[in-house]
């Protein structure tokens, strides 16, 4: 997308019918098609992570042209976009798996701030540790290895933000 633009990329993935629509409609349609039942991404955590990543990628763009320009300004940042996506996958996983535990330990008034801090910490762990240890695009996020990675990161976040108990 960064080198050829959104239109040609949509066409190459069989989504050419979206060309000419407003950016938000295109992003919503991409998300719907990738995350429909039986689709490429049907896990709730991955679906939410994809939505967050698309929001991040398009936050400074209102039109397809602006979106193309933003991606074109950093065509070599695909790794950064992957890191954002994987950090979002792991952050959603953390919120789903550890949310009850966190709410027992932290006053309700501080939970929003805690989860924001946890997302920031997970993003740092992904970019500074996980991405240096392995090729993120090679991880099968439904495998036992991925579950182990997520569990390790969840525990590290809890240890850092709440402390060992």
């Amino acid at each position: 997308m960064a080198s050829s633009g959104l239109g040609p990329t949509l066409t190459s993935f069989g989504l050419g019918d979206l060309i000419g629509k407003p950016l938000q409609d295109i992003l919503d349609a991409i998300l719907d098609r990738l995350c429909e039942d039986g689709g490429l991404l049907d896990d709730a955590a991955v679906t939410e992570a994809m939505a967050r990543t698309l929001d991040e990628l398009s936050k400074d763009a209102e039109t397809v042209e602006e979106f193309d320009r933003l991606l074109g300004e950093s065509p070599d940042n695909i790794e950064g976009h992957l890191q954002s996506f994987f950090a979002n996958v792991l952050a959603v996983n953390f919120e789903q798996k550890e949310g009850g535990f966190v709410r027992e330990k932290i006053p309700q008034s501080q939970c929003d701030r805690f989860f924001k801090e946890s997302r920031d910490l997970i993003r740092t762990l992904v970019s500074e540790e996980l991405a240096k240890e392995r090729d993120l695009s090679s991880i099968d996020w439904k495998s036992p290895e991925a579950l182990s990675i997520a569990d390790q990161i969840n525990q590290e976040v809890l240890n850092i933000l709440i402390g060992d108990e």
Side-chain angles (χ1 to χ4, degrees), residues 58-130:
S58 65
K59 73 177 180 195
D60 294 327
E62 292 186 27
T63 67
V64 172
E65 292 78 18
E66 290 173 350
F67 188 65
D68 272 345
R69 182 185 49 76
L70 286 171
L71 291 178
E73 289 172 355
S74 59
D76 57 343
N77 195 25
I78 297 303
E79 183 178 341
H81 298 321
L82 276 176
Q83 287 179 13
S84 292
F85 174 66
F86 295 131
N88 285 330
V89 168
L90 293 167
V92 171
N93 174 276
F94 176 82
E95 291 164 15
Q96 290 177 347
K97 283 187 171 179
E98 309 299 342
F101 173 78
V102 167
R103 286 179 182 85
E104 288 177 8
K105 300 289 181 188
I106 294 176
Q108 185 63 34
S109 62
Q110 297 175 11
C111 281
D112 286 345
R113 190 190 78 205
F114 176 88
F115 285 116
K116 184 197 177 314
E117 288 175 3
S118 70
R119 286 189 294 273
D120 293 343
L121 179 56
I122 289 169
R123 187 170 301 274
T124 300
L125 292 171
V126 167
S127 67
E128 293 182 5
E129 293 180 21
L130 187 59

Side-chain angles (χ1 to χ4, degrees), residues 27-41:
L27 296 176
D28 290 344
I30 290 171
L31 186 60
D32 287 344
R33 290 184 191 182
L34 291 177
C35 300
E36 63 189 12
D37 290 340
L40 179 63
L41 304 169

Side-chain angles (χ1 to χ4, degrees), residues 26 31 51 58 67 70 107 120 134-135 137 151-152 156:
I26 292 171
L31 186 60
S58 65
F67 188 65
L70 286 171
D120 293 343
R134 62 188 76 213
D135 175 9
S137 65
D151 288 344
Q152 288 172 2
E156 192 167 346

